[in-house]
Amino acid sequence: MTHFILSGIAVYPVKSLAGIHANSWPVTEKGFQHDRKWMIIDPNRQFLSQRKLPEMALIKTALTPKNLILSAPGMEDLFLPIKPVDGQLINSTIWHDQCDAHSVSKEADQWLSDFLKQDCQLVYQPDEVIRPVDPDYAKPSDKVAFSDGFPFLIIAENSLTVLNNEMQLNLAMTRFRPNLVISGCPGYAEDSWREISIGTIDFRLPKPCSRCSIPTIDPETAQTGKEPLITLNRTRKWQNNVYFGQNALHNQCGQLSVGDTVHIKLTGAKQPPI
């Protein structure tokens, strides 16, 4: 049985804002605790992301036992309760999904609208709200918060090494927004993984992650470039999409820690097949 090492953990409390890197983090039914529990929507109740507003990358997030903290250049830090008082029920849209959400506070809406220079609203997903994962790739019991579609994104460290060598650049892994980074395996080894375990938790990897424009955004400056999409279009294109990393679903709750052993339990044909 092949095994590697979990070398990175990242949690993104607010969809499309900066993430938090951790040494250890709890895994709940919907994925990492607090991951994509909050989301920013526009006046039409459509989710907002860096695809439309690259400056969302500049808003940093932090978590304490009591608060979600947002910080951004030129703004006073915003402290929000980690367990919000139930606000107004809002039916919001993520891609093709209609998701129940609750408003957070007028203060949060104003803070975000001021920084992003767009009328917007912060919402959160209460624990009792169930958003199922696409049944084409998941079990009926699989749940997710406000992620694009899956609770986890897995990338091997050496996949980025291969891509950076092809680009002759040194882009950071943060551009690709994985939850789990694996070391010790060859580049793009994750393309053939179907079932793995990390520590005490088993994962299924049903499909590769198609990439949008977000990895072209420098998370430190919010400036947009052309890479890595130019190189991914040349090296990782399949059926009119480009792919980097693998979406994943988990079978148990528990705790993951950097240094956990990663066992490859089942492999298959490469996804994408290139």
Side-chain angles (χ1 to χ4, degrees), residues 6-272:
L6 179 63
S7 59
I9 289 173
V11 182
Y12 307 91
V14 184
K15 184 176 181 67
S16 225
L17 301 191
I20 298 166
H21 295 277
N23 288 321
S24 188
W25 206 266
V27 175
T28 70
E29 283 189 331
K30 297 178 183 179
F32 274 138
Q33 185 178 45
H34 305 308
D35 188 58
R36 266 71 63 118
K37 181 181 176 69
W38 290 265
M39 176 173 69
I40 302 170
I41 58 174
D42 68 15
N44 296 319
R45 301 183 175 183
Q46 297 274 342
F47 82 100
L48 287 168
S49 79
Q50 293 178 35
R51 298 169 187 88
K52 182 176 181 180
L53 298 172
E55 55 271 27
M56 289 176 72
L58 302 177
I59 305 178
K60 308 297 185 186
T61 59
L63 290 169
T64 71
K66 292 185 177 180
N67 292 108
L68 165 68
I69 305 166
L70 303 184
S71 57
M75 305 289 290
E76 290 191 12
D77 288 358
L78 179 67
F79 288 76
L80 299 168
I82 207 163
K83 292 184 177 179
V85 176
D86 282 350
Q88 175 191 358
L89 181 65
I90 297 171
N91 187 253
S92 54
T93 303
I94 306 175
W95 300 113
H96 301 297
D97 288 353
Q98 299 296 308
C99 305
D100 281 343
H102 285 205
S103 60
V104 173
S105 71
K106 295 292 186 185
E107 179 190 16
D109 300 344
Q110 190 63 55
W111 191 96
L112 289 163
S113 298
D114 288 347
F115 181 73
L116 296 172
K117 298 180 173 58
Q118 156 144 359
D119 189 16
C120 57
Q121 185 172 14
L122 184 67
V123 297
Y124 77 100
Q125 186 189 79
D127 292 339
E128 64 271 15
V129 169
I130 303 301
R131 180 185 171 213
V133 180
D134 185 338
D136 288 345
Y137 301 101
K139 298 176 181 177
S141 57
D142 289 323
K143 307 176 185 69
V144 68
F146 290 138
S147 303
D148 278 352
F150 294 85
F152 291 95
L153 173 62
I154 294 176
I155 299 177
E157 278 186 9
N158 280 328
S159 299
L160 181 56
T161 301
V162 170
L163 180 61
N164 272 328
N165 287 340
E166 289 168 334
M167 295 185 294
Q168 297 186 319
L169 293 172
N170 189 29
L171 300 186
M173 185 66 85
T174 50
R175 287 187 181 233
F176 299 91
R177 300 176 67 82
N179 299 105
L180 302 167
V181 180
I182 311 298
S183 68
C185 56
Y188 300 122
E190 68 272 34
D191 288 355
S192 62
W193 298 346
R194 292 294 177 276
E195 296 178 8
I196 68 174
S197 65
I198 306 177
T200 61
I201 300 178
D202 297 317
F203 292 85
R204 290 159 280 136
L205 285 66
K207 74 181 293 286
C209 181
S210 60
R211 307 311 305 223
C212 62
S213 61
I214 287 178
T216 67
I217 301 166
D218 184 335
E220 299 304 318
T221 66
Q223 295 299 305
T224 302
K226 295 182 178 180
E227 290 288 16
L229 287 188
I230 287 178
T231 299
L232 288 174
N233 262 290
R234 191 179 76 246
T235 62
R236 303 277 297 170
K237 190 170 186 177
W238 180 56
Q239 294 183 343
N240 296 317
N241 286 304
V242 297
Y243 294 90
F244 191 80
Q246 297 289 324
N247 293 299
L249 300 154
H250 57 302
N251 293 345
Q252 300 92 12
C253 299
Q255 188 90 9
L256 290 176
S257 299
V258 169
D260 281 348
T261 299
V262 181
H263 291 284
I264 311 307
K265 303 175 78 173
L266 180 67
T267 59
K270 283 188 174 184
Q271 298 186 128

